[in-house]
């Protein structure tokens, strides 16, 4: 008997609906439905809660193959969580460009380094482009950190692509507009994210 069949049997023996079991385990009814239909497995914490609630061992709930599958899924979840943390903090760190002197400006024939907020001597559209890129990157970082547990497929599939795309855009923008310090800073962040992505595969 597979895990999904065991869970369904245990739930029915207790006379519980999926909604009631979900409330006991602090998960959604959708999660219970997914587990009982064999479309997924609970994480380790939920497995322990299920075992405790039904007074069985985790080993009684799972076959060897299922235990391996859950261990692999749990490891993947941990890796994704760590990647999201790294990406979120790196993207959010672009906010430093707003306050630290990474931008060159010419004042009375003297080139000085200033923060983005203090930047003058460039075309308004260029400063606006800088602000848009930096703010967009920070937003991506904050959203990535805030939605670490979001399982919506559209977000899961696109978050890394969005982060890398905005990162590439920022590097190109700063390079083309002759802002070497900002370009190097953005490139270092992009390189770290790329290395994290490569190591995952």
């Amino acid at each position: 008997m597979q895990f999904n069949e065991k869970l369904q049997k245990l739930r029915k023996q207790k006379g519980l609906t999926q909604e009631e079991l979900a409330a006991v385990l602090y998960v959604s009814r959708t999660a219970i439905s997914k587990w009982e239909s064999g479309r997924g497995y609970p994480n380790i914490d939920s497995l322990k809660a299920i075992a405790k609630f039904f007074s069985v061992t985790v080993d009684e709930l799972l076959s060897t193959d299922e235990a391996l599958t859950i261990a692999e899924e749990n490891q993947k979840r941990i890796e994704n969580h760590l990647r999201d943390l790294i990406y979120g903090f790196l993207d959010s760190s672009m906010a430093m460009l707003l306050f630290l002197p990474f931008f060159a400006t010419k004042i009375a024939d003297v080139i000085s380094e200033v923060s983005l907020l203090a930047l003058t001597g460039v075309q308004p559209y260029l400063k606006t482009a800088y602000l848009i890129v930096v703010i967009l990157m920070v937003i991506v970082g904050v959203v990535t950190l805030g939605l670490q547990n979001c399982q919506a497929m559209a977000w899961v599939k696109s978050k890394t692509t969005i982060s890398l795309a905005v990162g590439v855009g920022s590097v190109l923008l700063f390079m083309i507009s002759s802002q070497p310090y900002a370009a190097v800073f953005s490139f270092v962040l992009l390189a770290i994210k790329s290395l994290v992505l490569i190591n995952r595969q």
Side-chain angles (χ1 to χ4, degrees), residues 12-51:
K12 288 180 178 176
Q13 283 175 349
K14 283 234 180 195
L16 297 172
T17 64
Q18 288 185 341
E19 289 86 353
E20 290 168 336
L21 180 57
V24 169
L25 299 175
Y26 300 103
V27 297
S28 66
R29 190 206 64 80
T30 307
I32 301 294
S33 174
K34 186 172 141 185
W35 300 341
E36 288 191 355
S37 63
R39 290 181 288 116
Y41 294 98
N43 60 30
I44 299 297
D45 291 334
S46 292
L47 263 177
K48 289 177 182 175
I50 292 167

Side-chain angles (χ1 to χ4, degrees), residues 91-103 114-119 127-139 174 182 185:
D91 289 344
S92 299
S93 69
M94 282 289 282
M96 288 192 289
L97 293 179
L98 296 170
F99 309 105
L100 297 179
F102 281 98
F103 292 86
V114 296
S115 68
L116 179 52
L117 292 178
L119 181 62
K127 184 172 180 178
T128 301
Y130 295 158
L131 285 168
I132 289 171
V133 165
V134 170
I135 291 169
L136 185 58
M137 186 65 90
V138 172
I139 290 171
F174 296 141
F185 179 77

Side-chain angles (χ1 to χ4, degrees), residues 103-121:
F103 292 86
T105 186
K106 195 172 184 180
I107 303 171
D109 295 329
V110 177
I111 296 177
S112 302
E113 297 302 322
V114 296
S115 68
L116 179 52
L117 292 178
L119 181 62
T120 57

Side-chain angles (χ1 to χ4, degrees), residues 55-76:
S55 301
V56 295
T57 65
V58 172
D59 290 339
E60 289 177 282
L61 288 172
L62 302 171
S63 67
T64 304
D65 288 342
E66 288 174 326
L68 287 172
T69 299
I70 289 174
E72 288 170 2
E73 287 181 358
N74 193 55
Q75 181 62 32
K76 187 176 179 182

